[in-house]
Amino acid sequence: MKIALINENSQASKNEIIYTSLKQEAEKKGHTVVNYGMYSNEQDHQLTYVQNGLLASILLTTKAVDFVVTGCGTGQGAMLAANSFPNVLCGHVTSPLDAYLFGQVNDGNCIAMPFAQGFGWGGEVNLNYTFEKLFSEPFGGGYPKDRVIPEQRNKKILDGVKAVTHRPLITILKEIDQDFLRSAIDYPEFKEYFFAASQDQEISDYLKSILD
């Protein structure tokens, strides 16, 4: 998988810690990680957790990445924002057990983590173990294993429901506040990584027009 890391402004100072841990554990399983920032509190370009939800949807819809790791102070706001956009199935993950069960039972494509709440002494150790368990097995394997068929069936039902209840992303991009959209994507790293990887020409062309 190609995995994107996206941090919002309140926890941007932890980007390097999170990226290092994520990269270490993901690469053990042959995955690659792209760091979309934010990179520090001092960075001029600011991202909110709502914008991170939008970015997650853009990256996943266009197949620029296969999976997104994001979060905020508690992880709750980031999860809610991500799930409000199409083609994102985001779980709230706080521990290695959460991570393992989300991957095996829910088979989603995004996690939102708390990077302030409970992130004290040993926080980076919990990150390592959490990412280790997240990528320990291919997603959708089921837990318990004898529940794999009904769990996979429920996942397909949820995917079908979301396809009906969410409008196409290109429609949302055209109708959403354009300043909000522009402020989410108008920074060098997004332009460098996204346009080279996007597999949806219509969305890419529209985002380029916003940036012109």
Side-chain angles (χ1 to χ4, degrees), residues 8-192:
E8 47 82 63
N9 50 20
S10 78
Q11 302 304 310
S13 64
K14 297 189 178 86
N15 176 265
E16 184 176 354
I17 297 172
I18 300 162
Y19 175 67
T20 299
S21 178
L22 175 59
K23 186 172 184 291
Q24 171 185 302
E25 298 303 326
E27 288 184 348
K28 289 178 182 178
K29 296 297 183 178
H31 309 307
T32 58
V33 180
V34 183
N35 190 354
Y36 275 82
M38 290 177 58
Y39 304 97
S40 72
N41 287 336
E42 291 74 36
Q43 185 177 339
D44 289 336
H45 182 262
Q46 298 283 306
L47 288 171
T48 67
Y49 69 78
V50 183
Q51 289 173 319
N52 285 3
L54 173 60
L55 288 174
S57 180
I58 291 172
L59 296 177
L60 292 166
T61 299
T62 62
K63 304 186 187 310
V65 303
D66 306 297
F67 196 86
V68 172
V69 174
T70 188
C72 56
T74 66
Q76 300 282 9
M79 178 195 66
L80 293 170
N83 283 322
S84 70
F85 291 99
N87 304 311
V88 184
L89 187 60
C90 182
H92 183 243
V93 168
T94 66
S95 69
L97 179 59
D98 280 347
Y100 181 76
L101 292 177
F102 176 71
Q104 296 308 302
V105 177
N106 305 111
D107 190 16
N109 56 12
C110 179
I111 61 170
M113 303 181 71
F115 296 131
Q117 179 182 330
F119 199 100
W121 188 76
E124 75 283 0
V125 177
N126 186 58
L127 278 179
N128 287 347
Y129 290 153
T130 300
F131 292 138
E132 177 186 355
K133 285 302 180 184
L134 180 65
F135 304 122
S136 62
E137 298 178 27
F139 287 179
Y143 185 85
K145 296 301 182 184
D146 60 4
R147 290 283 301 162
V148 63
I149 293 176
E151 287 170 358
Q152 289 178 346
R153 182 169 61 243
N154 286 337
K155 169 61 164 48
K156 290 179 181 178
I157 292 171
L158 179 58
D159 288 342
V161 169
K162 286 176 68 67
V164 173
T165 59
H166 285 76
R167 294 185 300 163
L169 179 60
I170 186 64
T171 302
I172 294 171
L173 294 177
K174 290 178 179 179
E175 295 184 6
I176 203 167
D177 182 279
Q178 299 297 279
D179 290 334
F180 173 80
L181 172 59
R182 186 179 298 105
S183 66
I185 64 173
D186 192 9
Y187 65 104
E189 291 80 11
F190 177 86
K191 298 172 189 176
E192 176 185 355

Side-chain angles (χ1 to χ4, degrees), residues 196-212:
S198 171
Q199 298 180 41
D200 189 308
Q201 194 62 49
E202 183 180 14
I203 289 177
S204 294
D205 289 345
Y206 186 74
L207 294 181
K208 285 178 181 177
S209 74
I210 291 295
L211 294 168
D212 288 342

